[in-house]
Amino acid sequence: MMGQGWHARLIFSLVGWGLLSASPSISFAAEEERYNFNWLDPDKKVYVLQNRRYLKGRNLMLSLMGGFGLSNSYRSVFRLDPRVAYYFSERFGAEVFYNFGFHSDNNTFTALTTSSPAALPVVRELTSQLGGMFLWVPWYAKINLFNLILYFDWYVGLGAGSIQAQVDTNTVVTSPPNLVDQRLFAIYFSTGHHYYLSDHFSVRLDFSGTFYSAPILGITGDNAWYSDFSFNLGIGVRI
């Protein structure tokens, strides 16, 4: 004869068996929900960042940029900077360039010559530069700009080349310039963005640095290391 609590024990047993039977389906549903990202984005609009829309591997990239020199103490400098790059893959490439510098006296030089007309400083103008760089593109991203998606690469370049420079050895304001040509070895650094507009066109933003050794007195004296930086903006064409 069963005790008085057998009804309760039977009910608890049936409920426990039901939970154990249902738990695999509950667990599976939870896992499926998690990997479907429904918990993150109910509208299912999750996009994978690594999917590139614009590819450049095994393609040539032609660029034409213009910008201002930032380092010459006595000259205002504008640079025209055409470049040709070839990308072996999405991450690595090589680039060659030949840029031109256009110089004019700035306010500092004018003030100095007005106050000390018999003591001109040493002024070196970098008239042109020829070089090559190895490119590494470690970063790729998308940004939302006023509901417009922009795709861009962030590159870093390092290389070497030569500078064609001119030094004015004249020391008196009233005397005509006496320009001496110099050819100098240079190390180049560059970093910037390609903002892709279509499969073939991009806007390029670039910051470049030039490092070279030259005589501290213009054409005489011990050599010292100098730096020259420029900020450039232009267009890129992929072919």
Side-chain angles (χ1 to χ4, degrees), residues 36-234:
N36 280 338
F37 295 99
N38 291 333
W39 58 275
L40 175 65
D41 192 347
D43 296 327
K44 299 180 179 61
K45 294 181 179 179
V46 175
Y47 298 98
V48 179
L49 179 62
Q50 287 81 359
N51 290 345
R52 294 174 180 264
R53 180 171 180 180
Y54 302 108
L55 302 177
K56 62 186 178 300
R58 298 186 179 181
N59 283 281
L60 281 174
M61 179 78 77
L62 308 180
S63 299
L64 180 61
M65 296 183 290
F68 295 97
L70 307 175
S71 303
N72 197 314
S73 301
Y74 304 110
R75 293 288 188 267
S76 296
V77 182
F78 176 80
R79 284 211 171 90
L80 188 63
D81 192 355
R83 302 188 186 187
V84 179
Y86 179 78
Y87 289 92
F88 311 107
S89 66
E90 294 304 314
R91 286 187 172 237
F92 299 104
E95 183 172 63
V96 294
F97 62 90
Y98 185 79
N99 66 44
F100 309 87
F102 303 91
H103 301 77
S104 60
D105 296 347
N106 62 14
N107 292 334
T108 301
F109 185 82
T110 301
L112 183 62
T113 55
T114 301
S115 60
S116 302
L120 289 180
V122 174
V123 178
R124 180 178 289 107
E125 298 180 354
L126 308 186
T127 56
S128 64
Q129 301 181 61
L130 172 65
M133 288 187 288
F134 174 77
L135 298 177
W136 178 39
V137 191
W139 299 290
Y140 163 77
K142 307 172 187 178
I143 57 175
N144 188 324
L145 181 64
F146 303 111
N147 290 327
L148 175 66
I149 301 299
L150 289 179
Y151 301 80
F152 72 94
D153 286 324
W154 187 349
Y155 64 86
V156 177
L158 183 64
S162 65
I163 298 171
Q164 184 65 42
Q166 287 186 332
V167 178
D168 187 0
T169 60
N170 179 38
T171 58
V172 180
V173 173
T174 56
S175 300
N178 183 26
L179 300 177
V180 176
D181 291 331
Q182 286 183 328
R183 184 170 293 276
L184 307 168
F185 171 78
I187 297 173
Y188 294 108
F189 167 80
S190 181
T191 184
H193 295 169
H194 277 285
Y195 294 93
Y196 295 103
L197 305 178
S198 68
D199 288 333
H200 298 287
F201 294 97
S202 64
V203 172
R204 184 169 181 178
L205 192 66
D206 180 87
F207 178 77
S208 294
T210 303
F211 305 90
Y212 62 95
S213 177
I216 60 175
L217 299 179
I219 60 174
T220 61
D222 296 333
N223 278 20
W225 280 94
Y226 297 89
S227 60
D228 185 85
F229 296 96
S230 61
F231 180 79
N232 306 299
L233 177 67

